[in-house]
Amino acid sequence: MTQQFVIETKKWQHFVDKTPEEVKKHVETIVKSYSSACVDRFYEVLLTHPDAAIFLSNQLVDTRLRSALGLWLENLFSTNEWNAIVLVQAQQKIGEAHARIQVPIHIVLQGSRTLKQEINRKIDENLSSDEEILSCVLYASAMIDIAIEFMARVFVQNTRKEAEKNEAFRLMSLGQDMGLEREIQRAALFEWGQELLFSLCYGKTGRELSLENSDFGLWFDHKGSALFHGASTRKSHRRVVHRVRL
């Protein structure tokens, strides 16, 4: 755990410690009573989202994720020896899992918003005092936001590491075949140039000769786009390739 994580963990512990016991007990009771309803609403929303549905299925939700999310909620709001360090470690593992399967961060945020809305609705339904409702809503929302913040930190770190690893692998693979690839594409471009020259000298062949649709042009659009990713002249070269035709 980095120094910044330690600082943020202490802040979370301090926030929970200074929250009135009555507020924490109210929220704990409501979450335990309605965790199944909150989880149902969570997956009802996410299963209809096209970006989330590819990571979920009804069978996966029913057999593994539903109980795991319910347990996550109950642990988050438990008043029995609540420990920020343990909770932070749990959020880190979840963030790592999200990064590993590349769950979009906006899906995670939509899911947390759905949970907050459902919990806050249950708080409003079960408490009568406006002051109690406000205190409990603010506490519940802050707890979920902090948990998601710890998840997101690890998610971003691991996603960055994975991207760097993939880029290193890509460059290594391209470097191994660079010489051969260069000669193949040079020959492909020369062949297209010859065909173009013959067409100019002896009349058109009856079909459009475009560099874009040649073997070289197709390579440049697909494999070449990965090879020259980040090059300042790639876009201008691509425009030229798409424009040259007979």
Side-chain angles (χ1 to χ4, degrees), residues 155-216:
F155 175 88
V156 171
Q157 290 173 0
N158 284 38
T159 300
R160 186 184 297 120
K161 289 178 184 177
E162 190 66 23
E164 290 172 353
K165 183 173 68 177
N166 291 340
E167 180 68 7
F169 179 76
R170 183 184 69 83
L171 292 175
M172 181 186 71
S173 300
L174 290 172
Q176 291 175 343
D177 300 330
M178 187 66 72
L180 176 61
E181 195 71 67
R182 181 178 61 247
E183 294 307 315
I184 290 174
Q185 297 312 316
R186 180 180 291 172
L189 186 57
F190 179 74
E191 182 180 350
W192 180 85
Q194 272 194 321
E195 187 175 3
L196 176 67
L197 181 61
F198 288 143
S199 296
L200 288 171
C201 292
Y202 302 108
K204 291 188 177 182
T205 61
R207 66 184 181 87
E208 182 184 74
L209 283 174
S210 68
L211 185 56
E212 175 185 6
N213 292 323
S214 68
D215 289 342
F216 172 80

Side-chain angles (χ1 to χ4, degrees), residues 13 57 78 93 98 101 104 117 125 158 162-163 171 217 224 241:
Q13 185 72 56
S57 67
S78 173
K93 290 180 180 178
H98 286 166
I101 63 176
Q117 289 172 342
E125 290 174 357
N158 284 38
E162 190 66 23
L171 292 175
V241 169

Side-chain angles (χ1 to χ4, degrees), residues 78-216:
S78 173
T79 59
N80 182 26
E81 297 182 357
W82 192 93
N83 188 305
I85 296 175
V86 174
L87 264 294
V88 167
Q89 291 172 344
Q91 310 322 305
Q92 288 176 317
K93 290 180 180 178
I94 296 171
E96 289 169 359
H98 286 166
R100 188 164 55 249
I101 63 176
Q102 299 181 335
V103 176
I105 193 66
H106 68 274
I107 295 300
V108 177
L109 296 177
Q110 181 177 7
S112 72
R113 186 176 73 250
T114 301
L115 285 175
K116 285 191 292 184
Q117 289 172 342
E118 193 64 18
I119 290 173
N120 292 343
R121 190 166 68 84
K122 296 302 182 183
I123 290 172
D124 186 58
E125 290 174 357
N126 285 270
L127 298 178
S128 55
S129 165
D130 289 343
E131 185 178 349
E132 283 184 333
I133 291 172
L134 179 60
S135 297
C136 290
V137 163
L138 291 175
Y139 169 69
S141 297
M143 289 291 284
I144 291 178
D145 286 342
I146 295 170
I148 296 300
E149 181 182 335
F150 278 105
M151 281 187 208
R153 285 172 181 265
V154 176
F155 175 88
V156 171
Q157 290 173 0
N158 284 38
T159 300
R160 186 184 297 120
K161 289 178 184 177
E162 190 66 23
E164 290 172 353
K165 183 173 68 177
N166 291 340
E167 180 68 7
F169 179 76
R170 183 184 69 83
L171 292 175
M172 181 186 71
S173 300
L174 290 172
Q176 291 175 343
D177 300 330
M178 187 66 72
L180 176 61
E181 195 71 67
R182 181 178 61 247
E183 294 307 315
I184 290 174
Q185 297 312 316
R186 180 180 291 172
L189 186 57
F190 179 74
E191 182 180 350
W192 180 85
Q194 272 194 321
E195 187 175 3
L196 176 67
L197 181 61
F198 288 143
S199 296
L200 288 171
C201 292
Y202 302 108
K204 291 188 177 182
T205 61
R207 66 184 181 87
E208 182 184 74
L209 283 174
S210 68
L211 185 56
E212 175 185 6
N213 292 323
S214 68
D215 289 342
F216 172 80

Side-chain angles (χ1 to χ4, degrees), residues 23-118:
V23 171
K24 291 186 287 189
K25 283 290 185 182
H26 278 319
V27 176
E28 179 187 32
T29 300
I30 290 169
V31 167
K32 280 186 176 180
S33 299
Y34 297 100
S35 63
S36 294
C38 294
V39 170
D40 287 344
R41 180 58 182 160
F42 177 91
Y43 285 114
E44 179 185 349
V45 171
L46 289 194
L47 282 169
T48 62
H49 196 298
D51 291 344
I54 60 175
F55 298 97
L56 303 170
S57 67
N58 288 317
Q59 182 181 4
L60 178 63
V61 168
D62 290 337
T63 57
R64 293 178 58 190
L65 299 181
R66 192 178 298 277
S67 59
L69 181 57
L71 184 61
W72 179 80
L73 279 174
E74 292 182 14
N75 287 338
L76 183 62
F77 292 105
S78 173
T79 59
N80 182 26
E81 297 182 357
W82 192 93
N83 188 305
I85 296 175
V86 174
L87 264 294
V88 167
Q89 291 172 344
Q91 310 322 305
Q92 288 176 317
K93 290 180 180 178
I94 296 171
E96 289 169 359
H98 286 166
R100 188 164 55 249
I101 63 176
Q102 299 181 335
V103 176
I105 193 66
H106 68 274
I107 295 300
V108 177
L109 296 177
Q110 181 177 7
S112 72
R113 186 176 73 250
T114 301
L115 285 175
K116 285 191 292 184
Q117 289 172 342
E118 193 64 18

